Amino acid sequence: MSKNVYLDYAATTPIDKQVLKSMLPFLKQNYGNASSLHTPGRKANQAVEKSRATIAHATGMQNKEVIFTSGATESNNLAIKGTFQALNAKFNSLKKLHFITSNIEHHCVLDSFAYLKKKYPKNVEITYLPVNEKGLINPDILAKALKKNTVLISIMMINNEIGTAQPLKKIAQIIKKQKKARSQDQNPMPIYFHSDATQAPSYFSIQCSAYGLDLLTINAHKIYGPKGVGALVIKKGVLIHAINHGGGHEFRKRSGTLNVPGIVGMGKAIELAEKNRDKNIEKITKLRDYFLNQISQKLKRIKVNGSLKKRTPNNINISFLGVEGESLLLLLDKKGIYVSTGSACSSNSLQASHVQLALHNNHLRAHSSIRFTLGKFLLKSDLDYAVQEISKAVNRLRKISQGINQKSECKKS
Amino acid sequence: MNYSAKVMDHFTNPRNLGTLKNPDGVGEVGNPVCGDLMKIYIKISEKNSQEYIQDIKFQTLGCGSAIATSSMITELARGKTLDQALKISRDDVANELDGLPPAKLHCSNLAADALKKAIKDYQNNK
């Protein structure tokens, strides 16, 4: 009997039945445009506002501080480019604007910064914080990187590849001190703290005040909601310009007809994430630990990438030495087991994962890395099957690579 | 990334995998940065006063196409004279596999290079 075991919940998740049910009326009879003044429009608008209130509650913010977008990529683009545009307009004549981020952020964050640097070389400077071999930022290094013109710090809550949880609370304390110093020095530049929390809501609180956040990115499809919808939470008073212009939707911060079914689904997904968080943490932690334990018993020469302690419960990232990730992914795919890899061969860039290299700068280890991400629809028996097939596939590929000198690795310099 | 059926066949059922005892030539190519490393072993014999590849084996650490191209080159080279074998190009290997995805044409299509290196190794040590 063929089995399907989906172990790629960090890529996307299947939709929850309750989420789908909440969306259907807005795809069928309640098709109104939320901006229209007539009855169908008002019904749509009410549903959007209900979802907005749910997200505001989950993030501990006001309804007006929640801006719906097309997803995390757009939210991150808006957070970075939008604050730059607003602050550049305000302070251009005074100073360069300094940004701090980490070198393991998602490409949509790194590429937004790279775009600004390229487009406005005279107005932008960026510091990329390194991570240690556990995949964690050192807050002391961040504190040292701060400048008088630092305006935005963007650090992801949970890394999408290795699942590490960054010390946002410690960073918030550092920023608080900086804010105080600035007010004493009468430095008029604001300093904002943004976090991409895309991978977080199922397992971590997304209360902005708990992390001292001014801006927060979330989306729906990583938490059993629909694709194509996300939000950027923007604290009142944060200076930000829209990057989408048009009808002035979303408090003039994001024009475009609202994706009503998506927004309704996202509200439901967040509601369920909040309600089931403790239960999910317990269930998924047990499954993840069981999975890692079984793999460790069956296979030698494996390395876990990223801290096991400061990590989301649903992620385990393993390098199977002597095996290339794409090969393993393909063999597992044939067995109905779906994973992802940090190997270059799975991308079109010919570059191994920037996250893996930031941790250990070992190319072969990066190429041999496989990300397993778990979710609420998995059973222990699914993992038993997966472990058995992973073990077979790894042994098979190691037979093929036997005799290859694998010591010619690039060591961390 | 879509591989041809032939690539998947050679990847999942690699031909001539392993090593040779006392090989006449060994060719190792690849780069850990790309993640693909390959080793080809050859045994040379003589027939009608011409040297030919009597036996050939490979070992590969790499992606699906790296393994498939290694497997394919062993099939292409076996029984060939050294002159014929030296003429096998990367394109020949890709074509025999019904093509490779564009991103793979360069980085994991190293088998022809490994074969050349093994033949050179034999010729240098003769």
Side-chain angles (χ1 to χ4, degrees), chain A residues 28-39:
Chain A
K28 292 179 179 170
Q29 65 273 32
N30 299 338
Y31 49 79
N33 184 325
S35 298
S36 300
L37 288 176
H38 46 57
T39 304

Side-chain angles (χ1 to χ4, degrees), chain A residues 175-204:
Chain A
I175 295 173
K176 206 173 166 187
K177 262 190 211 162
Q178 175 73 11
K179 277 182 180 167
K180 219 180 229 173
R182 283 190 189 182
S183 82
Q184 280 168 1
D185 299 347
Q186 296 190 322
N187 175 349
M189 281 206 164
I191 179 165
Y192 302 143
F193 189 18
H194 167 245
S195 186
D196 172 4
T198 303
Q199 298 287 346
S202 294
Y203 309 99
F204 293 84

